[in-house]
Amino acid sequence: MFDYSARPELLKDRVILVTGAGRSIGAAAAKTFAAHGATVLLLGKTEANLSQVYDEIEAAGHPQPVVIPFNLETALPHQYDELAAMIETEFGHLDGLLHNASIIGPRTPLEQLSGENFMRVMQVNVNAMFMLTSTLLPLLKLSSDASVVFTSSSVGRKGRAYWGAYGVSKFATEGLMQTLADEVENVAPVRSNSINPGATRTSMRAQAYPGENPLNNPTPEEIMPVYLYLMGPDSTGINGQAFDAQ
């Protein structure tokens, strides 16, 4: 496991947006960031899930989060602009962006993967991630120390059979992370890095490996040290790097 111990007030006064914040790793990250002092913007498509995370953060006495129902599969350009305008009006800037939301799609040979399924995965995992990044970058540049964290995968670092659209989308994720990192290097107070969570006890993992005993994998909460490290000031100057949570 990534070795890092975060001080309690690590993210005090930071505003951090988390996509896919309603469950699994996204929910764990949102609650962990809030527990370390951040105001977390909970973005996801299922409002009931987001509200539950909101209630847990509130009940724990952490800074009041914001629920943002947003469907990355169907969102139009003007909706991204409206999201950025809302964040600017409410907070004036953005200190962190965790790209966590993604879908796995069918795990089949490329030959049997429909164009429709391929494009759906790319829409959520790549196109929407690009739209969020480009639209929110001006707000991140207004921070004195901003961090963009992309969620990758081992199949986005070395291609593997039957991972098709998902694997390709994670290669694109690494490419977007590296491109952004090179553009902001020594130009803006923004850093860009990726995390490969590894085998984690999530519903997506269970979908991909139905025969596996989930108890052999760490919970989302257990892989949070690297997320805290990259979102906090201790990683200032770390840019363009691919991290493993485990």
Side-chain angles (χ1 to χ4, degrees):
M1 210 62 70
F2 186 85
D3 186 24
Y4 175 71
S5 184
R7 59 188 182 278
E9 298 283 282
L10 180 78
L11 304 176
K12 185 171 166 45
D13 299 329
R14 294 193 175 217
V15 180
I16 300 173
L17 186 145
V18 177
T19 73
R23 57 195 185 96
S24 293
I25 293 173
K31 289 186 270 190
T32 301
F33 294 160
H36 288 79
T39 296
V40 185
L41 314 185
L42 308 166
L43 186 143
K45 67 178 181 187
T46 309
E47 193 165 357
N49 292 349
L50 299 174
S51 296
Q52 187 177 341
V53 176
Y54 176 98
D55 290 345
E56 288 177 37
I57 291 172
E58 278 268 272
H62 303 318
Q64 186 178 23
V66 177
V67 169
I68 305 174
F70 198 92
N71 190 334
L72 294 171
E73 192 178 342
T74 59
L76 298 168
H78 73 88
Q79 291 172 281
Y80 290 94
D81 293 335
E82 288 161 9
L83 172 65
M86 181 276 285
I87 295 171
E88 184 169 22
T89 300
E90 292 293 321
F91 302 103
H93 70 284
L94 190 62
D95 301 295
L97 171 57
L98 171 59
H99 289 295
N100 165 76
S102 58
I103 57 173
I104 198 164
R107 290 185 63 227
T108 68
L110 290 173
E111 196 176 3
Q112 291 163 20
L113 182 62
S114 74
E116 187 182 354
N117 277 321
F118 183 86
M119 287 186 274
R120 178 171 178 251
V121 171
M122 297 304 272
Q123 179 62 30
V124 175
N125 297 10
V126 181
N127 301 353
M129 184 174 62
F130 163 76
M131 288 297 294
L132 268 180
T133 303
S134 62
T135 311
L136 297 177
L137 197 53
L139 291 173
L140 289 157
K141 287 179 172 178
L142 292 174
S143 168
S144 58
D145 175 45
S147 175
V148 183
V149 178
F150 295 85
T151 303
S152 185
S153 169
S154 57
V155 297
R157 295 175 181 171
K158 186 181 188 308
R160 208 180 304 158
Y162 317 128
W163 280 89
Y166 182 81
V168 172
S169 77
K170 293 303 178 180
F171 270 94
T173 297
E174 293 283 3
L176 184 57
M177 177 277 283
Q178 291 178 23
T179 303
L180 177 62
D182 208 36
E183 289 182 4
V184 297
E185 182 85 39
N186 301 323
V187 174
V190 182
R191 56 193 182 279
S192 168
N193 298 283
S194 70
I195 297 173
N196 165 28
T200 311
R201 208 178 305 169
T202 64
S203 56
M204 183 184 277
R205 178 75 188 184
Q207 188 184 337
Y209 295 95
E212 182 180 74
N213 179 1
L215 297 179
N216 292 336
N217 298 327
T219 63
E221 288 73 19
E222 290 174 298
I223 65 166
M224 283 299 122
V226 69
Y227 289 80
L228 283 167
Y229 171 69
L230 286 176
M231 273 303 167
D234 292 336
S235 60
T236 301
I238 304 294
N239 187 40
Q241 303 298 309
F243 286 82
D244 290 313
Q246 299 182 44

